[in-house]
């Protein structure tokens, strides 16, 4: 037995978001252990004043905290030394990611926990998912808040038990609205900033995925620790062996159907790249297979292996697969009889993994014979054939000086070296010819009896035959190595070309001009033209090169893009291998053209649809809403002109006339603003402006007490156009005041205008307590002439449409969210000025 002291066990309660109840769950676990007789103490628990959490601590033994002086303030931290002296069996330590006050023995609370574990004390701790180091960047992108207190993932992964404390976003927001998480004065600010439904949903998904990865890691560790080589079918994982042949798509679709039979199944496609480089699959089919796998919701994997069957089985075993899908071999009967088939070998090696053998149409067609055409240039082929004839003659002539001695071994070595040289220059066939010519030269000039093609000694005949065999073998190896080197060079070139093409597309260089210029550079052509079939014949869409665009009849190489477009190349004819890459360019060109057509159609359709909707709504509005204030104005003017009204009635008519004039002026202003936005005539002048300069002006026209302005001090600085921003806020506040008053039947709760500072943005929130807008109607609420459930008089439904358009012109975003407790919150997000850079932290010490 080991004399080393026992190390304590770590249990982590992982919160999907702040406020889900991880501390409460930790205290519940402590109480259960106390009931079982375990010695448990509270090392550090932060209740945040929550009544239920305080009640849960109850009579648990609490180790007093240590006081630390920092900059004239007395702060408290966990007293690790006191816990070590007390030496309980279990200690509760809240907020694992906490950073200790400067001057503490250790910088991080995680280091204090490590000390307790080393002392053999079990630790139960809590941490929120947003405080894990690996998720720091993702959390900032989601919430806009940078986490200053983080803990390395490895610290949490070493825990013997991880308990996920989860709660739906809606339930958490209800808990907050009821005051169970934060104090009442912080609820609205929290719910409208960090604790939005979208933020909470994203944090929840991060937590679930992180824990799922931890479970997979634990399962893999267990299998490795117990030397379990066979897969454990925890869920269906279908591995499809993709050969690169024409049957690949059939296999993938069959695998996808098998995977769809069980919920949660995974589809994995694997393509084995031969390590010897002798097999050369069709790269276009491999690319199509990758696209098909992605569309089917699977993943594509390329692995290198000398034995295809063994590589597929190893991949399936490592992936914990339950089934391998492989196609029936396309090889002939003799090949199957001699070497067997890949499917048979996979089945014999798969063990407990099921093997599904799929037949397909390509079985009857067999495999195409490999071409024996030399890949060498015409010049090298001519040089090789010439050397094959001249080399044996020259060497034989040079060795004539040694005819009287037994120089057969020397002659064989020299002629063998010459045959190898021929193989390096001209390839296999010239080398074989050189070997045969050398055989006859050795036989006639150097093998007794000389001068005849007969051999007296059997040993000499054996030597000659061995020479021919060795020469042919060496020539074959040299030729094959030369071919593989050429294939590797072409593969690197093709890969670099395709990678460059992909980068050009991903970076937005998806124009026809960019593609034809790239084609000309890659293939060294004099000119390249993209031609489109028009009513008068072929028309040039794009051209690259110094010479004029060529017609289809003038081009040296042509490749079809689609039924109406071709690429026409003028220059050196392309090799067959280059044709494959060129066809990939053609496919990409087709996609670019198709995307362009779809975008144009979509834009035209959207423009026509918007114009039609706007015209219809405008006619409706002019016929009703504009007539209402005009009728009131006409009645007021008629009454005033009549001259038979008293002073009180006259004042009423003048007030009505003034109100209707303001209403009509506002309607016309909104119509003009909408027209300017739709015709692109709004050109904002962006400057750094403080919100305390803009917001008061935007609220100036509202009734007293109708709006409450609550902006952080100092006021945030945004990069905006002050006049346009004032119009946006004024429209939002005007709508909010109107619907709040209508919902309350008069004077309702005041509308609150808040501002929150994020790292790169500033959010202005207009919070009302009106009836709100259902989630399914929010996509339409920013469209012109949409009144939705707003029945208040005096509007065309243009306020939000104009606000949305002006916000986009300012480079901002406008969205709508529920107000906790009822109502609607309009969130206006604006770019933050660099001058306004200051620290920002979310609500709560256990929140960001």
């Amino acid at each position: 037995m080991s004399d080393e002291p026992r190390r304590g066990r770590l249990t982590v309660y992982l919160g999907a978001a702040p406020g889900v109840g991880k501390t409460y769950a930790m205290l519940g676990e402590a109480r259960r252990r106390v009931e079982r007789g375990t010695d448990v103490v509270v090392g550090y628990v932060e209740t945040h004043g929550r009544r239920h959490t305080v009640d849960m601590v109850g009579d648990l033994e609490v180790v007093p905290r240590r006081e630390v002086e920092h900059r004239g303030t007395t702060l408290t931290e966990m007293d690790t030394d006191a816990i070590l002296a007390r030496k309980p069996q279990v200690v509760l330590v809240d907020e694992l990611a906490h950073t200790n006050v400067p001057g503490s023995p250790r910088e991080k609370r995680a280091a204090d926990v490590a000390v307790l574990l080393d002392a053999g004390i079990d630790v139960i701790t809590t941490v929120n998912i947003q405080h894990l180091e690996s998720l720091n960047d993702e959390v900032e992108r989601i919430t806009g808040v940078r986490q200053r207190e983080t803990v390395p993932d490895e610290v949490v992964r070493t825990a013997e038990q991880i308990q996920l404390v989860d709660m739906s976003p809606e339930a958490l927001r209800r808990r907050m609205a009821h005051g169970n998480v934060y104090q009442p004065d912080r609820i609205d600010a929290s719910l409208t900033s960090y604790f939005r439904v979208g933020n909470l949903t994203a944090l929840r998904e991060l937590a679930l995925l992180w824990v799922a990865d931890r479970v997979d890691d634990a399962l893999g560790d267990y299998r490795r620790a117990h030397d379990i080589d066979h897969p454990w079918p925890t869920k269906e994982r279908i591995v499809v062996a993709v050969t690169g042949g024409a049957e690949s798509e059939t296999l993938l679709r069959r695998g996808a159907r098998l995977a769809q039979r069980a919920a949660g199944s995974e589809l994995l496609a694997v393509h084995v790249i031969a390590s010897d480089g002798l097999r050369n699959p069709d790269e276009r089919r491999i690319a199509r297979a990758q696209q098909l796998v992605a569309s089917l919701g699977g993943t594509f994997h390329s692995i290198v292996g000398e034995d295809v069957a063994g590589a597929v089985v190893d991949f399936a075993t490592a992936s914990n697969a339950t089934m391998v899908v492989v196609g029936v071999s396309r090889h002939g009967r003799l090949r199957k009889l001699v070497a067997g088939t890949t499917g048979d070998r996979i089945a014999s090696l798969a063990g407990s993994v099921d093997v599904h053998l799929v037949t397909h149409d390509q079985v009857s067609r067999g495999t195409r014979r490999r071409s024996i055409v030399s890949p060498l240039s015409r010049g090298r082929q001519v040089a090789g054939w010439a050397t094959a004839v001249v080399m044996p003659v020259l060497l034989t002539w040079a060795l004539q000086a040694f005819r009287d001695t037994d120089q057969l071994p020397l002659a064989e070595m020299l002629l063998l070296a010459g045959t190898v040289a021929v193989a390096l220059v001209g390839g296999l066939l010239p080398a074989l010819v050189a070997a045969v010519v050398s055989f006859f030269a050795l036989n006639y000039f150097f093998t007794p009896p000389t001068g005849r093609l007969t051999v007296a000694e059997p040993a000499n005949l054996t030597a000659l035959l061995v020479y021919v065999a060795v020469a042919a073998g060496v020539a074959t190896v040299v030729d094959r190595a030369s071919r593989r080197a050429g294939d590797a060079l072409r593969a690197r070139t093709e890969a670099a070309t395709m990678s460059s093409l992909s980068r050009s597309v991903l970076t937005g260089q998806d124009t026809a001009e960019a593609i034809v210029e790239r084609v000309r550079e890659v293939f060294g052509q004099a000119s390249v033209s993209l031609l489109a079939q028009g009513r008068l014949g072929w028309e040039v869409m794009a051209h690259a090169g110094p010479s004029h665009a060529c017609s289809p009849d003038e081009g040296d190489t042509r490749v079809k893009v689609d039924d109406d477009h071709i690429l026409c190349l003028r220059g050196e004819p392309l090799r067959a291998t280059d044709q494959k890459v060129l066809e990939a360019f053609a496919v990409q060109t087709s996609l670019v053209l198709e995307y362009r057509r779809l975008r144009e159609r979509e834009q035209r359709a959207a423009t026509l649809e918007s114009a039609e909707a706007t015209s219809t709504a405008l006619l409706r509005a002019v016929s009703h809403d504009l007539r209402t204030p005009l009728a009131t104005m006409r009645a007021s003017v008629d009454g005033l002109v009549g001259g038979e009204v008293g002073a009180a009635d006259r004042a009423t008519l003048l007030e009505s006339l003034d109100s209707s004039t303001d209403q009509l002026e506002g309607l016309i202003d909104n119509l003009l603003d909408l027209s300017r936005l739709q015709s692109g005539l709004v050109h904002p002048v962006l400057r750094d402006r403080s919100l305390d300069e803009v917001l008061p002006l935007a609220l100036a026209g509202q009734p007293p007490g109708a709006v409450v302005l609550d902006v952080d001090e100092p006021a945030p600085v945004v990069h905006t156009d002050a006049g346009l921003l004032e119009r946006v806020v004024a429209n939002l506040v005007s709508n909010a005041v109107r619907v709040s008053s209508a919902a309350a039947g008069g004077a309702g709760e005041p509308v609150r205008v808040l501002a929150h500072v994020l790292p790169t943005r500033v959010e202005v929130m207009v919070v009302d307590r009106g009836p709100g807008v259902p989630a399914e109607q929010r996509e339409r609420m920013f469209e012109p002439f949409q009144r939705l459930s707003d029945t208040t008089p005096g509007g065309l439904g243009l306020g939000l449409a104009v606000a949305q358009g002006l916000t986009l012109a300012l480079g901002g975003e406008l969205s709508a969210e529920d107000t906790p407790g009822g109502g609607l919150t309009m969130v206006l997000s604006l770019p933050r000025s660099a001058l306004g850079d200051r620290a920002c932290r979310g609500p709560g010490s256990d929140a960001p």
Side-chain angles (χ1 to χ4, degrees):
M1 297 182 59
S2 174
D3 294 333
E4 295 182 1
R6 167 189 171 276
R7 178 175 170 81
R9 290 187 293 268
L10 177 64
T11 300
V12 176
Y13 279 84
L14 180 64
V20 295
K22 62 186 184 303
T23 303
Y24 189 90
M26 177 183 69
L27 291 169
E29 172 67 17
R31 288 197 165 276
R32 289 190 292 273
R33 296 198 183 196
V34 169
E35 292 174 359
R36 295 195 297 266
T38 306
D39 182 17
V40 180
V41 301
V42 175
Y44 185 95
V45 166
E46 186 60 68
T47 64
H48 298 291
R50 299 166 187 166
R51 177 172 54 84
H52 297 295
T53 306
V54 173
D55 293 343
M56 202 64 178
V57 175
D59 57 355
L60 291 175
E61 180 182 348
V62 179
V63 177
R65 300 183 184 181
R66 178 172 51 85
E67 294 185 350
V68 181
E69 293 289 336
H70 180 63
R71 296 182 178 177
T73 304
T74 301
L75 304 173
T76 61
E77 291 288 0
M78 182 176 69
D79 195 339
T80 305
D81 295 335
I83 297 173
L84 292 173
R86 169 66 174 76
K87 200 168 179 58
Q89 291 178 282
V90 179
V91 61
L92 307 184
V93 180
D94 207 1
E95 298 183 0
L96 180 63
H98 173 73
T99 301
N100 293 328
V101 176
S104 300
R106 283 162 288 276
E107 180 182 0
K108 302 285 290 186
R109 184 165 293 164
D112 292 326
V113 169
V115 172
L116 297 174
L117 294 172
D118 290 338
I121 301 174
D122 294 344
V123 177
I124 304 178
T125 187
T126 66
V127 68
N128 281 328
I129 191 67
Q130 74 266 22
H131 294 298
L132 294 181
E133 182 65 41
S134 66
L135 302 178
N136 202 0
D137 293 338
E138 285 78 1
V139 171
E140 182 179 12
R141 281 194 292 268
I142 293 168
T143 65
V145 178
R146 185 72 177 179
Q147 303 297 322
R148 292 178 174 81
E149 293 187 336
T150 60
V151 61
D153 291 42
E154 189 60 29
V155 174
V156 182
R157 287 183 181 274
T158 57
E160 293 197 10
Q161 187 176 6
I162 299 177
Q163 294 282 351
L164 178 62
V165 183
D166 187 22
M167 179 178 291
S168 69
E170 293 77 10
L172 178 57
R173 287 169 61 85
R174 284 196 300 270
R175 173 183 286 185
M176 295 187 65
H178 295 157
N180 294 331
V181 178
Y182 295 128
Q183 298 299 322
D185 60 339
R186 299 169 58 190
I187 293 176
D188 283 346
S190 300
L191 289 172
T192 55
S193 56
Y194 190 87
F195 290 88
R196 299 177 185 171
V197 173
N199 290 357
L200 296 177
T201 302
L203 292 174
R204 188 186 190 195
E205 182 176 4
L206 285 178
L208 292 171
L209 291 175
W210 192 91
V211 173
D213 288 342
R214 177 69 179 87
V215 172
D216 278 344
D217 292 343
L219 179 60
D221 293 341
Y222 182 85
R223 292 177 60 206
R224 285 188 292 270
H226 292 78
D227 295 327
I228 300 174
D229 296 331
H230 59 276
W232 279 10
T234 53
K235 65 178 178 179
E236 291 291 332
R237 286 188 175 91
I238 310 299
V239 173
V240 180
V242 177
T243 63
E247 73 279 5
S248 297
E249 295 183 7
T250 301
L251 301 181
L252 289 171
R253 291 191 173 92
R254 179 64 61 85
R257 289 199 297 271
L258 293 173
Q260 290 170 358
R261 294 178 180 177
S265 299
E266 293 183 14
L267 176 66
L268 300 90
V270 58
H271 171 61
V272 180
I273 302 173
S275 59
D276 58 6
L278 300 182
R279 287 177 287 275
N280 187 21
D282 191 331
E283 296 297 335
R284 291 173 298 173
R285 286 176 175 163
I286 294 295
R288 286 199 296 268
Q290 290 177 327
Q291 295 175 355
L292 179 59
V293 171
S295 67
L296 295 173
T299 57
F300 190 93
H301 306 266
S302 294
I303 60 176
V304 178
E306 183 177 354
D307 176 44
V308 175
V312 170
V313 172
D314 290 343
F315 175 82
T317 303
S319 303
N320 204 17
T322 56
M323 180 182 294
V324 175
V325 177
V326 64
V328 174
S329 175
R330 292 182 284 119
H331 295 302
R333 295 181 180 178
L334 181 60
R335 171 72 178 272
K336 294 178 182 178
L337 181 62
V338 174
T341 66
T342 302
D344 294 337
R345 293 196 298 275
I346 290 177
S348 63
L349 297 172
S352 61
V353 180
D354 295 338
V355 177
H356 190 80
L357 198 62
V358 178
T359 187
H360 47 84
D361 296 338
Q362 303 299 320
V363 174
S364 59
R365 302 180 184 180
T367 56
R368 294 180 298 177
R369 295 185 179 274
R370 294 177 60 85
S371 173
I372 60 173
V373 177
S374 174
L376 303 178
S377 64
R378 184 178 299 275
R380 287 187 61 181
Q381 293 183 52
V382 172
W385 285 110
T387 307
V389 176
V390 174
M391 181 275 301
V393 174
L394 291 178
L395 288 179
T396 301
W397 176 79
L399 291 169
Q400 290 301 309
F402 305 98
R403 286 186 60 186
D404 295 337
T405 60
D406 184 12
Q407 294 299 324
L408 179 60
L410 176 62
E412 288 180 340
M413 296 302 296
L414 290 176
L415 289 172
L416 179 60
T419 302
V420 173
V422 172
L424 291 173
V425 174
L428 178 60
L429 293 181
L432 294 178
V433 171
V436 173
V437 174
S438 299
F439 168 80
F440 285 108
L442 289 171
N443 187 3
Y444 189 84
F445 291 103
F446 300 101
T447 305
T450 59
R452 289 184 296 175
L453 295 177
T454 58
V455 180
E457 297 292 337
N460 291 336
L461 177 61
T462 303
L464 290 176
L465 293 177
V466 170
Y467 164 79
V468 174
V470 171
V474 171
T476 302
V477 172
V478 171
D479 175 73
R480 180 165 294 180
S482 177
R483 286 174 179 265
R484 297 286 77 78
D487 290 343
L489 179 60
R490 283 191 296 274
R492 285 198 302 270
T493 303
E494 292 177 9
T497 301
M498 299 307 297
S499 175
S500 176
L501 176 62
S502 301
R503 283 197 304 270
S504 68
V505 174
L506 292 175
T507 54
Q509 300 177 4
D510 57 345
T511 63
E513 291 77 9
I515 290 180
V516 296
E517 180 62 33
R518 185 64 57 84
V519 171
R520 191 180 76 86
E521 293 175 356
V522 169
F523 299 105
Q525 298 292 296
S527 65
V528 178
S529 303
L530 175 61
L531 306 178
Q533 180 70 58
R535 289 179 297 178
L536 302 178
W538 292 101
E539 301 175 354
V540 180
M541 287 191 63
H543 174 72
S547 60
H548 64 84
C550 63
S551 65
D553 297 333
E554 297 174 339
D556 298 305
T557 304
R558 293 174 298 277
V559 61
K560 179 180 178 181
V561 174
D562 54 33
D563 293 337
D564 299 322
H565 299 84
I566 64 170
L567 281 172
C568 181
L569 287 70
R570 179 182 293 161
E572 290 292 329
L574 301 182
R575 297 173 299 181
T577 53
D578 291 337
Q579 287 280 357
K580 294 194 304 182
V581 183
L582 181 58
E583 290 174 2
F585 273 96
V587 171
Q588 188 59 49
T589 305
S590 175
L591 292 176
V592 168
L593 296 176
E594 182 64 22
Y595 291 158
R596 179 182 296 178
R597 285 193 293 266
L598 291 176
R599 284 197 299 266
E600 291 175 353
R601 291 176 184 175
E602 183 181 6
Q603 290 172 356
R604 286 197 299 269
T607 301
L608 292 174
E609 183 179 359
S610 175
E612 181 181 2
T614 301
S615 300
T616 304
L618 181 59
L619 289 175
R620 265 200 318 265
V622 170
S623 64
H624 181 269
D625 293 87
L626 291 180
R627 292 172 61 116
T628 301
L630 286 174
T632 303
M633 294 169 65
R634 166 62 67 182
S636 300
V637 170
D638 290 343
L640 292 171
V641 171
E644 297 179 358
V645 295
D649 293 335
R650 183 180 182 85
T652 300
L653 291 174
L654 288 173
E655 182 180 355
S656 177
L657 181 62
D658 181 65
S659 174
S660 297
T661 303
D662 290 341
Q663 180 182 346
L664 183 60
E665 183 180 8
L667 294 175
I668 294 175
D669 285 343
N670 278 335
L671 285 172
L672 291 176
D673 284 339
L674 181 65
S675 175
R676 292 168 58 208
L677 287 169
Q678 292 181 339
S679 38
L681 297 179
V682 176
H683 303 290
V685 180
L686 302 179
R687 295 177 181 173
D688 291 339
R689 297 290 186 186
S690 174
L691 286 182
D692 61 5
E693 301 176 7
V694 179
L695 296 184
L697 297 177
L699 310 182
Q702 301 302 324
V707 183
V708 175
L709 180 60
D710 182 8
V711 180
D712 294 342
E713 292 294 340
V717 178
V718 295
H719 194 62
T720 188
D721 184 308
L724 296 182
L725 178 58
E726 180 184 337
R727 288 294 309 275
V728 173
V729 177
N731 270 354
L732 297 178
V733 172
S734 176
N735 280 351
V737 170
R738 187 175 70 252
V739 298
S740 295
S741 300
E749 293 188 34
V751 172
R752 300 184 62 199
V753 179
L754 312 173
H756 290 296
V757 182
L758 300 178
T760 60
R761 316 284 288 178
V762 173
E763 292 186 344
V764 178
M765 282 161 284
V766 179
V767 184
D768 68 60
R769 293 292 180 177
V773 176
E776 62 273 11
Q777 296 184 4
R778 289 178 191 166
E779 293 184 1
R780 296 192 296 116
M781 66 185 295
F782 295 107
E783 298 176 5
F785 308 106
Q786 296 294 324
R787 298 288 300 275
L788 301 181
S789 57
D790 182 9
T791 58
T792 57
L796 291 176
L798 293 179
L800 292 182
V802 171
Q804 174 79 305
L806 294 178
T807 300
L808 294 177
L810 294 173
E813 297 178 1
L814 183 61
S815 59
E817 299 179 354
D818 286 327
T819 300
L824 192 69
T825 297
M826 302 300 299
V827 182
L828 173 62
S829 178
L830 298 168
R832 184 181 176 186
S833 169
L835 299 177
D837 190 18
R838 64 186 182 88
C840 178
R841 180 174 174 86
S845 60
D846 68 338

